Amino acid sequence: MARVMQHEEEEKVIEDPGERVHVWPHLVSIELVGALIYLLALSLMSIFIRAPLVDLANPEVTPNPAKAPWYFLGLQELLLHMHPALAGVIVPGAVLILLAAIPYIDRTRAGTGIWFSTPKGLPITKFSAVYTAVWVVGLVLLDEYLPAGEGAHGISPLLELYGFPPAVGDIFVPLVFMTFIPWSLAVIVKRRWNANTREIIIALYTFFLASFVVLTIIGTAFRGHSMQLMWPWEIGAPEGLMER
Amino acid sequence: MGLREKLTNNRFFKSIYREGYPDTDRKRVLVIINSLALHLHPVRIPKKALKVSYTWGLGGLSIWMFVILTITGVFLMFYYIPSVKDAWWSIININTNVYFGAFMRNMHRWAAHAMVILVLLHMTRVFYTGSYKPPREFNWVLGVVLLTVTFLLSFTGYLLPWDQLAYWAITVGAEMGGSTPLIGKQINVALLGGYQIGQSTLIRWYTLHVIFLPLTLIVLVSMHFWRVRKDGNISTPVYPAPVEATAGSPADGDGAPEPSDEAAEEASGEAEEQAES
Ligand code: HEM
């Protein structure tokens, strides 16, 4: 065992922690100020903005639309485009596992403690965010408006119209897109910037983050009655919002 | 005698903080290691780790939200009744009859949203600064679990007011869980405590929300903070060694290799920035 360890090449790095200062008072004072600012902001918010409360739960009356809390609206948006097992369980499960795996894929120490690690990091982040956002918005619009005959719309209905089984549109096509977009992003970043492992992981994390943000915004602010796409001002408050 | 002297140079204050006000380096060390709350910190940290634009204090603010949520949450527990018949009415009571009730409920809600956002931002800060890299791999994994627990805490709380928003959000959530391949039915029953949303669902989620998940979070956060210390505190810059240095002079000991041009440039840029602030 020890023999194997010896063979593993040690990464040569230069560490640069710099000058040290006492935690008291330097850090403790910053923490105190930060905590007080947040407490004050939350207090003001709690004085002036009410937490929503709507009518008593009623299993007989389904509100339209019925939405999850905001941080799950990205997943609820996916639910409109693919099989529920994929959107509700497999995608979030895979995301958590892949997130946890990041440090075991990108194993070098160089680049620790530096925002975006290398000079290429920030441009790659910006490019990846735009690339992802364009894909996600484009696909959402396509699935909403692509005519599929007889007033129906969407990629899956169109495929069924051509005689494909539902699994193709609900499972196969979404899987293809969800692998093609990050894969193509990694290829582009590698070619254009000659990216190393850390820089490719930056591109892929940005893909995750941008998808989450864009889908959450669409699900929160652009989905109204019957979960149709609309402008935020057309959506209105939840039904039965209490005055007090 | 100044005001600070008066407040800190007396028997009572010194019975709590034996060394008095920390105005010498020795006392600045002792105040940290003698205090339960402060000893989570190291005694000294790199000046770089102090820069707000490095961590944005996001991890600390996440736990601060948790503290606020615990205090406001205990207050709400005095009045909230976890029964299908009474839950919604007890919220109305909190909003209208209880002194500071609406304030505490609002604060609990806004701090909960803030915590989810802060934890997501903290993860993103850790990612883009490369702070998950060795030796901090496992603390990142703990972080991913903490993120999951944070989501679950927020989601279990969402059902408790027993209004239409809560009921149907949970319906959507439980349907998603129920679509799990192979074990969907079992998951659905486990989530709802039966075949439909009702009293057994409410009491189950209430228990998870007020006891199980907060305790889990406390244990995991303790491990998380412990590991931050054991992994050498907050990350500081690590640059790749220049190629010549790796070419195998056996002893590079203290004659440490010079940083590469790029690294040196960045380092000096950082020093300048610090001089400015
Ligand atoms: C309840 C949630 C969490 C709390 C209360 C928390 C708290 C903290 C605190 C106070 C620090 C010290 C540095 C700082 O403030 O940035 C820290 C560092 C760290 N956290 Fe978290 N954290 C949480 C969730 C997460 C998540 C979701 C991740 C990643 C997936 C994560 C990964 C890390 C890592 C790797 C460090 C070391 C960073 C460094 O050395 O620069 N944590 N955490």
Side-chain angles (χ1 to χ4, degrees):
Chain A
M1 195 56 204
R3 216 164 256 272
V4 177
M5 300 296 279
Q6 272 174 6
H7 280 291
E8 212 171 278
E9 202 170 312
E10 181 111 10
E11 187 192 355
K12 292 257 162 67
V13 292
I14 300 169
E15 296 191 52
D16 180 22
E19 184 195 344
R20 281 171 188 276
V21 293
H22 277 106
V23 161
W24 180 290
H26 298 284
L27 179 60
V28 177
S29 57
I30 294 177
E31 288 175 340
L32 185 68
V33 171
L36 288 180
I37 290 175
Y38 267 70
L39 184 61
L40 186 70
L42 279 173
S43 302
L44 289 175
M45 230 181 131
S46 308
I47 291 170
F48 294 112
I49 314 176
R50 301 191 145 274
L53 181 71
V54 303
D55 291 338
L56 178 64
N58 182 353
E60 312 286 314
V61 180
T62 314
N64 188 347
K67 285 192 185 183
W70 66 268
Y71 41 83
F72 285 156
L73 289 184
L75 293 179
Q76 209 180 335
E77 177 65 30
L78 286 186
L79 207 55
L80 297 172
H81 306 288
M82 57 189 75
H83 193 278
L86 211 51
V89 183
I90 295 170
V91 168
V95 165
L96 288 176
I97 290 170
L98 288 174
L99 277 177
I102 287 176
Y104 302 94
I105 299 168
D106 172 24
R107 295 185 300 254
T108 56
R109 291 199 58 213
T112 304
I114 305 159
W115 272 95
F116 303 104
S117 289
T118 66
K120 296 177 205 163
L122 185 58
I124 288 176
T125 303
K126 288 179 181 163
F127 172 79
S128 308
V130 173
Y131 184 80
T132 306
V134 169
W135 265 110
V136 172
V137 172
L139 283 174
V140 167
L141 290 174
L142 186 70
D143 206 27
E144 181 87 357
Y145 296 116
L146 184 72
E150 293 180 24
H153 296 275
I155 298 170
S156 203
L158 185 68
L159 287 172
E160 280 184 55
L161 204 65
Y162 282 107
F164 289 97
V168 174
D170 290 344
I171 296 174
F172 182 71
V173 171
L175 278 178
V176 167
F177 278 119
M178 286 188 294
T179 41
F180 175 76
I181 302 169
W183 175 80
S184 61
L185 175 64
V187 170
I188 294 171
V189 165
K190 195 162 167 67
R191 291 228 181 113
R192 187 165 153 197
W193 278 280
N194 190 20
N196 63 22
T197 309
R198 164 67 173 155
E199 287 153 351
I200 289 176
I201 292 276
I202 287 183
L204 295 179
Y205 182 87
T206 309
F207 161 74
F208 150 72
L209 187 65
S211 313
F212 178 83
V213 171
V214 172
L215 289 171
T216 305
I217 291 175
I218 293 176
T220 308
F222 293 90
R223 289 281 176 194
H225 200 269
S226 306
M227 292 304 269
Q228 282 181 318
L229 276 187
M230 56 187 69
W231 297 108
W233 51 88
E234 293 171 330
I235 292 178
E239 291 165 39
L241 192 63
M242 307 293 287
E243 286 300 312
R244 10 188 338 142
Chain B
M1 236 199 302
L3 181 62
R4 193 177 86 195
E5 274 283 283
K6 268 192 194 135
L7 287 175
T8 62
N9 200 4
N10 58 61
R11 272 192 166 265
F12 180 65
F13 186 89
K14 287 197 166 175
S15 70
I16 312 171
Y17 300 105
R18 301 199 186 290
E19 304 295 328
Y21 188 83
D23 50 5
T24 65
D25 276 1
R26 192 185 119 81
K27 291 182 185 175
R28 287 187 187 114
V29 171
L30 288 171
V31 67
I32 301 291
I33 57 183
N34 286 347
S35 151
L36 173 65
L38 292 180
H39 95 283
L40 294 174
H41 298 97
V43 168
R44 261 177 250 106
I45 53 166
K47 207 168 167 187
K48 289 188 164 94
L50 211 57
K51 259 175 79 174
V52 174
S53 62
Y54 181 58
T55 68
W56 295 102
L58 291 164
L61 290 170
S62 304
I63 201 63
W64 179 228
M65 292 304 106
F66 183 72
V67 171
I68 291 178
L69 285 162
T70 307
I71 295 167
T72 53
V74 167
F75 180 94
L76 293 176
M77 279 178 77
F78 291 162
Y79 302 99
Y80 175 78
I81 306 168
S83 102
V84 168
K85 239 178 43 243
D86 302 318
W88 188 79
W89 293 105
S90 67
I91 300 282
I92 296 275
N93 181 46
I94 288 169
N95 268 357
T96 54
N97 289 335
V98 176
Y99 277 116
F100 287 106
F103 177 80
M104 290 299 221
R105 174 167 181 258
N106 295 347
M107 181 100 105
H108 196 73
R109 177 65 65 107
W110 304 135
H113 284 317
M115 181 164 168
V116 173
I117 296 172
L118 287 166
V119 172
L120 283 168
L121 289 177
H122 168 60
M123 172 170 85
T124 296
R125 181 299 277 185
V126 169
F127 177 82
Y128 284 113
T129 59
S131 300
Y132 58 80
K133 286 162 168 280
R136 298 183 178 80
E137 304 100 310
F138 187 66
N139 218 13
W140 170 270
V141 176
L142 279 176
V144 175
V145 182
L146 276 169
L147 174 72
T148 314
V149 174
T150 306
F151 279 140
L152 291 177
L153 262 170
S154 179
F155 193 54
T156 48
Y158 207 76
L159 176 67
L160 305 184
W162 206 252
D163 62 352
Q164 280 286 74
L165 274 181
Y167 185 92
W168 292 96
I170 271 47
T171 308
V172 172
E175 267 170 22
M176 279 195 195
S179 65
T180 311
L182 306 176
I183 51 166
K185 264 227 176 64
Q186 287 82 342
I187 288 200
N188 205 45
V189 171
L191 284 175
L192 300 186
Y195 289 94
Q196 59 191 27
I197 304 180
Q199 181 59 52
S200 46
T201 320
L202 181 56
I203 202 71
R204 186 165 286 217
W205 288 41
Y206 174 74
T207 310
L208 291 175
H209 185 74
V210 303
I211 284 287
F212 179 74
L213 292 169
L215 284 183
T216 308
L217 193 110
I218 290 170
V219 170
L220 289 167
V221 163
S222 309
M223 291 166 70
H224 194 58
F225 288 2
W226 179 260
R227 298 276 325 195
V228 171
R229 297 292 305 279
K230 295 296 150 185
D231 294 342
N233 301 322
I234 299 304
S235 52
T236 49
V238 177
Y239 299 98
V243 189
E244 314 89 77
T246 53
S249 62
D252 30 35
D254 254 16
E258 287 296 306
S260 67
D261 283 358
E262 212 168 65
E265 223 168 89
E266 238 173 85
S268 74
E270 196 145 318
E272 266 164 40
E273 254 172 61
Q274 275 181 5
E276 272 166 37
S277 59

